[in-house]
């Protein structure tokens, strides 16, 4: 299996690096966009072109592989995960950042086989940050192996989390409550505006934990394997096993920190993907 994953990964990596050029053409921000679910949930032609490039390139070489892409789903494709090799794609994760020219957006590409993330690529071409991981082979930033921190206690942890793109009042009550809890019980709070890059910060030991409600499979498929291959844990925010279609994620440097955070935060249960 690992030989096959290596082959799949190398093809994907070449396509991601090439597609990154579509993003860096807009170094000062992409000011042409459409609204999706709200006036803070945006999509640009670059999102669509990147996804087309990746799906077109991968399906040509691996015609039996399946795809779950953010913009394909937005256009009506079903979000169905089977045991087949499935590429789960966020073409521009952090689109709001991309529109503004805030340089924290990335291509997030996860490969899921038998419903387990086995390879991931998170590429921020604006800052030339290439995060990669393959099952059993470690996690890397620009070819240098990375590891999570050793933080076990919330009061010593830098925690990344996001308000998200929904302003649903029930969700916002949870967001406001969790902001208060993280700021008062953690050492610090950060929000990059990209779920994948927040998870990458945990994998490289820059942040110690990340959680979010309302994300989608494409936001977290690559980050899941990246954090685990860096020595961290990825679980459901209430403490059970991670479920990639649940629209809930909590990752952390250590099981102890994950458990304390899961017992501290308010929970929210979005409709599944
Ligand atoms: C973004 C996520 C982020 C979330 C934003 C948005 P997108 O993905 O990565 O974590 O808070 O609301 O969903 O929409 O930029 O691909």
């Amino acid at each position: 299996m690992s030989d096959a994953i290596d082959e799949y990964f190398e093809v994907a990596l070449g396509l991601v690096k090439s597609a990154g050029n579509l993003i860096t053409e807009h170094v000062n921000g992409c000011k042409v966009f459409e609204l999706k679910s709200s006036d803070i949930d945006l999509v640009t032609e670059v999102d669509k072109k990147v996804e087309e490039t990746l799906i077109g390139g991968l399906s040509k070489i691996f015609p039996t592989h399946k795809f779950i892409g953010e913009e394909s789903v937005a256009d009506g494709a079903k979000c169905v995960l089977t045991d087949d090799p499935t590429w789960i794609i966020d073409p521009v994760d952090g689109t709001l950042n991309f529109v503004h020219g805030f340089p924290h957006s990335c291509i997030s590409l996860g490969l899921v086989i038998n419903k387990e993330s086995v390879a991931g690529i998170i590429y921020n071409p604006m800052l030339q940050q290439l995060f990669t991981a393959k099952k059993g082979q470690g996690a890397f930033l620009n070819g240098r192996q990375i590891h999570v921190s050793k933080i076990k206690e919330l009061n010593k942890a830098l925690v990344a989390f996001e308000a998200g793109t929904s302003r649903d009042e029930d969700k916002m009550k949870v967001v406001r409550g969790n902001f208060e809890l993280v700021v008062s019980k953690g050492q610090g709070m950060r929000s990059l505006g990209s779920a994948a890059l927040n998870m990458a910060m945990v994998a490289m030991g820059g942040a110690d934990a990340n959680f979010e409600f309302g994300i989608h499979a494409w936001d977290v498929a690559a980050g899941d394997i990246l954090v685990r291959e860096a020595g961290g844990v990825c679980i459901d925010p209430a403490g059970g096993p991670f479920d990639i279609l649940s629209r809930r994620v909590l990752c952390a440097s250590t099981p102890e920190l994950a458990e304390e955070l899961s017992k501290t935060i308010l929970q929210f249960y979005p409709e599944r993907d």
Side-chain angles (χ1 to χ4, degrees), residues 38-54:
S38 72
D39 60 5
I40 50 176
D41 185 12
L42 313 182
V43 62
T44 72
E45 277 308 310
V46 175
D47 294 71
K48 296 175 184 176
K49 281 181 187 168
V50 168
E51 187 164 315
E52 287 162 12
T53 299
L54 297 178

Side-chain angles (χ1 to χ4, degrees), residues 40 90 92-98 102 104-106 160-165 190-198 210 212 215 219:
I40 50 176
D90 192 334
V92 181
D93 186 43
T95 300
L96 190 60
N97 290 346
F98 176 53
F102 185 70
H104 294 281
S105 49
C106 64
F161 93 116
E162 302 283 339
T165 38
R190 298 291 184 271
S191 286
L192 276 184
S194 160
L197 287 174
N198 284 334
N210 161 241
E212 188 168 351
I215 40 85
D219 293 309

